[in-house]
Amino acid sequence: MFTCVKISLQWMVGLGLLLLAGCSQTANNNAVKEVENNLAMAQAAFDYAQFDRALSLLEKTIEQQPDHQMARLMLARTLYQLDQKQAAQKQLRRLLDSEGSEAAQAAYYLGQFQLKADDSASAIKTYSQGLQWATPQSGLIGQLHNGLAVAQLNQQAFDVAVEHFNLALASDPDSATFRSNLALCWLMQGDLERAKSTFSPLLNYQQLSQRVEMNWALLLLAQGKEQQAKHILAKYLTREQLQHDLVQLKAGLPAMTAVANTQ
């Protein structure tokens, strides 16, 4: 009799533990789904420029999961859009220093923000750190080399800039941005022929971004082909802007400053 009771109690305790484990698993699954839903809604809000709503959803997500890397990355980008630049950079720095799954992506955004703030010295450190954690699967190696090259170009470290633009191109030979930036780098060094030969493959592309086309206009101006340059610039500038910018561009050609694209 005693044995039967003992066995029954053990069975009941075991059943209770299984039920508790089941409840715990269900709660975990619900929490994961809630985080995923909040992130999806935050991304949609961000895409529609509803940054306050995105911020609210992301803060709720991080309150639930403080170490969620993607949530912090999205939070940083949202804060930047809300003009909370110091807070945004603090989040990106935290991600970069954590050396986690989003460290390279954090370096990409942080480097861009630093370049926009004319802080090329910090951008060089940021992009270099990001390259330590970028993998071929991330698709970021070329972007980080390109950003690092632009920062070096701003510092007039031409040889280093050429090296990193070439590394960016090696990772993505079809990138119009990387090739255009390398051509611009050669132009800034006064090597017009190398700038032209570097850029020329892009003339076969069906469509180029505004920045790439404007770099081509700059090359045309350097060759003395003002009418062709004006034809390109007229697509993006008013008549008044065109005349003003032409004067500025022609005056600046002997001592150019970097206008390379980081995106």
Side-chain angles (χ1 to χ4, degrees), residues 131-195:
L131 281 166
Q132 297 177 41
W133 308 110
T135 63
Q137 294 77 22
S138 70
L140 288 168
I141 291 177
Q143 296 285 1
L144 291 168
H145 276 298
N146 179 66
L148 179 53
V150 172
Q152 295 286 1
L153 199 58
N154 286 334
Q155 302 279 60
Q156 297 191 357
F158 297 118
D159 291 343
V160 182
V162 166
E163 177 186 351
H164 285 287
F165 280 138
N166 277 319
L167 287 169
L169 263 179
S171 73
D172 185 1
D174 294 324
S175 171
T177 293
F178 301 164
R179 182 169 293 279
S180 171
N181 285 348
L182 178 57
L184 182 66
C185 186
W186 287 123
L187 181 60
M188 289 179 68
Q189 296 179 74
D191 194 335
L192 181 56
E193 290 305 313
R194 191 170 287 184

Side-chain angles (χ1 to χ4, degrees), residues 117-130:
D118 294 323
D119 189 358
S120 294
S122 294
I124 288 170
K125 294 178 182 177
T126 296
Y127 285 124
S128 299
Q129 192 174 351

Side-chain angles (χ1 to χ4, degrees), residues 61-219:
T61 299
I62 290 173
E63 184 178 344
Q64 293 173 296
Q65 294 192 19
D67 296 324
H68 199 294
Q69 298 264 305
M70 181 54 70
R72 284 200 178 275
L73 183 66
M74 291 175 64
L75 175 62
R77 296 180 64 199
T78 302
L79 288 168
Y80 195 85
Q81 292 295 330
L82 290 168
D83 206 28
Q84 298 182 39
K85 294 181 173 57
Q86 292 301 318
Q89 292 192 38
K90 182 178 179 180
Q91 292 293 334
L92 291 171
R93 173 54 59 189
R94 173 173 174 161
L95 283 170
L96 184 53
D97 291 341
S98 74
E99 303 175 3
S101 60
E102 301 300 325
Q105 190 77 58
Y108 170 68
Y109 287 116
L110 181 58
Q112 282 192 324
F113 297 159
Q114 289 166 337
L115 284 178
K116 288 177 181 177
D118 294 323
D119 189 358
S120 294
S122 294
I124 288 170
K125 294 178 182 177
T126 296
Y127 285 124
S128 299
Q129 192 174 351
L131 281 166
Q132 297 177 41
W133 308 110
T135 63
Q137 294 77 22
S138 70
L140 288 168
I141 291 177
Q143 296 285 1
L144 291 168
H145 276 298
N146 179 66
L148 179 53
V150 172
Q152 295 286 1
L153 199 58
N154 286 334
Q155 302 279 60
Q156 297 191 357
F158 297 118
D159 291 343
V160 182
V162 166
E163 177 186 351
H164 285 287
F165 280 138
N166 277 319
L167 287 169
L169 263 179
S171 73
D172 185 1
D174 294 324
S175 171
T177 293
F178 301 164
R179 182 169 293 279
S180 171
N181 285 348
L182 178 57
L184 182 66
C185 186
W186 287 123
L187 181 60
M188 289 179 68
Q189 296 179 74
D191 194 335
L192 181 56
E193 290 305 313
R194 191 170 287 184
K196 286 164 53 181
S197 63
T198 299
F199 196 99
S200 61
L202 298 181
L203 300 179
N204 297 318
Y205 283 37
Q206 291 185 352
Q207 188 173 3
L208 295 171
S209 70
Q210 177 179 341
R211 178 57 62 82
V212 172
E213 284 209 318
M214 292 186 81
N215 281 352
W216 175 235
L218 198 59
L219 277 167

